[in-house]
Amino acid sequence: MSDPHHVPARPRRSDATRAAILAAARERFAVDGYERATVRSVAAQAGIDPSMVMRYFGSKEGLFAAAVDVDLHIPEPGEIPRERLGEALVQHFLDLWEQDTVLVTLLRVGVTHRAGAERMREVFRRQLVPAAERFGRDPADAPRRAMLVASQVLGMALLRYVLRFGPAAEMPREDVVAWLAPTVERYITAPDARGVGDAP
Amino acid sequence: MSDPHHVPARPRRSDATRAAILAAARERFAVDGYERATVRSVAAQAGIDPSMVMRYFGSKEGLFAAAVDVDLHIPEPGEIPRERLGEALVQHFLDLWEQDTVLVTLLRVGVTHRAGAERMREVFRRQLVPAAERFGRDPADAPRRAMLVASQVLGMALLRYVLRFGPAAEMPREDVVAWLAPTVERYITAPDARGVGDAP
DNA sequence: ATTGTAGGCCAACATCTGTTGACGTCGCGG
DNA sequence: CCGCGACGTCAACAGATGTTGGCCTACAAT
């Protein structure tokens, strides 16, 4: 959408194919993880020859890098009533995980592959930490708070969307929000680990 | 230690080799995940021939099953002062993750491989849920509460021990305990999602 | 109409994978 | 002392994988 690396560049005749490859890659990576998602399986699902994947994306790693493009799109503090901060954030994260397979892909690959782990760190550093800076009072604390929020949200996503544990997958969405919201809110706003936000 | 499947069975001459293979397998699986941990790399690290792995464990899956043997060893309610329940549990889980690579292995493999995911579900069902039954009031709620605790603990372990995110890996252990303890305690003891345990 | 070029496929490569079977060798019970 | 079974190695298999280069086709500019 707004990648500064590509000059606008008039549409190539192969854009449809590229898109098909990327869509297939996202699904294969999400379902199979990095190692078991083969270039051949991606190509087959996209209905083209494996060598096209190499031509357009250079290598399997290049394909992964191109396929996983995450924008957490975290709302601004102004858009959320301060009372419902935790609730709104948890809702937002659940939306992200459900509307798309890209986060499942990122987590699956991040756990086993260097490139995936690096990409996760990047998303964390460039999107979550800045967001935490906007929400919290002390910017120096932002990485810690962002990390705490990520730990809870990623843990739930792991059980619910990746591993599909019974109790996690079946719990109604509103219950998930109700349970996690106070946790997330405390991680962002509590003055310290002990406080709950309304102590003297 | 107390596996009811094996008859005591007099020590075989190959026990040292078996143990070496298992130790090597645990490390390879922990570091590389299931797919990239090859039978050959395990054998090389154990200093023996790849075919020995097959002879003793049947297949790569058999090796994995034999290598990953988790006992969470969750304390009994009586052993913990009720005030410090969250703290004691978080301490215990951090111990588990740090003393051994087996949980790292389980998480790494669980995310990409069916057998690993199934093993995780088994640990959850046979160890975490029963523990939650012992700690909580309403046994019917145990799976939900165990799942919530697991989500927070696994999320933190993911960032701290598997991905080794800076802020998660560097945070002093006592701070991790301080932040997570209230969360875990609430998941176990709060009467419902909204309550914090001391509301009217 | 011709031609250059980008899009696409086919076949092959070198390598690595899990797995198997044949072949030695050591140690212990008879 | 002998023989048999457990222990271990070697070599090879069949299949899959990432990747490469050659070749054909069809479009677009001249």
Side-chain angles (χ1 to χ4, degrees), chain A residues 31-36 87 107-114 117 120-122 124 129 141 143-148 150-152 154-156 158-159 162-169 171-172 175-183 186-188 190-195, chain B residues 31-36 87 107-114 117 120-122 124 129 141 143-148 150-152 154-156 158-159 162-169 171-172 175-183 186-188 190-195:
Chain A
V31 173
D32 295 333
Y34 187 84
E35 326 289 339
R36 316 199 340 179
E87 183 186 327
L107 180 50
R108 267 228 164 89
V109 175
V111 168
T112 21
H113 209 261
R114 313 188 96 85
M120 281 190 77
R121 269 187 284 269
E122 194 184 308
F124 176 80
V129 173
D141 245 18
R144 227 189 327 243
R145 296 180 184 275
M147 181 275 282
L148 287 164
S151 79
Q152 176 59 93
L154 279 176
M156 175 57 77
L158 176 73
L159 296 182
V162 178
L163 263 34
R164 298 206 155 89
F165 268 36
M171 184 182 247
D175 290 9
V176 176
V177 173
W179 279 103
L180 295 201
T183 301
R186 185 168 71 88
Y187 289 161
I188 296 181
D192 63 67
R194 289 275 160 233
Chain B
V31 173
D32 296 333
Y34 188 84
E35 326 290 340
R36 317 201 337 182
E87 183 186 327
L107 180 49
R108 267 228 164 89
V109 175
V111 167
T112 19
H113 209 262
R114 312 188 97 85
M120 281 189 78
R121 268 187 284 267
E122 193 184 308
F124 177 81
V129 173
D141 244 17
R144 225 188 330 238
R145 295 180 184 275
M147 181 275 282
L148 286 165
S151 78
Q152 175 60 93
L154 279 176
M156 175 58 77
L158 176 73
L159 295 182
V162 177
L163 264 34
R164 297 204 156 90
F165 268 35
M171 184 182 246
D175 290 8
V176 176
V177 174
W179 279 104
L180 295 201
T183 301
R186 184 169 70 88
Y187 289 161
I188 297 181
D192 62 69
R194 289 273 160 234

Side-chain angles (χ1 to χ4, degrees), chain B residues 70-141:
Chain B
V70 177
D71 183 1
L72 295 185
H73 196 265
I74 298 176
E76 293 298 316
E79 306 175 40
I80 303 180
R82 184 151 313 212
E83 323 300 321
R84 312 213 159 202
L85 185 118
E87 183 186 327
L89 285 178
V90 175
Q91 291 273 12
H92 178 71
F93 284 123
L94 292 183
D95 284 340
L96 282 177
W97 281 88
E98 286 167 10
Q99 76 186 35
D100 216 303
T101 66
V102 69
L103 286 179
V104 175
T105 306
L106 191 59
L107 180 49
R108 267 228 164 89
V109 175
V111 167
T112 19
H113 209 262
R114 312 188 97 85
E118 184 46 47
R119 184 60 68 103
M120 281 189 78
R121 268 187 284 267
E122 193 184 308
V123 171
F124 177 81
R125 186 166 13 96
R126 308 249 280 251
Q127 301 188 47
L128 264 181
V129 173
E133 283 172 358
R134 294 194 291 272
F135 279 100
R137 302 144 223 249
D138 180 5
D141 244 17

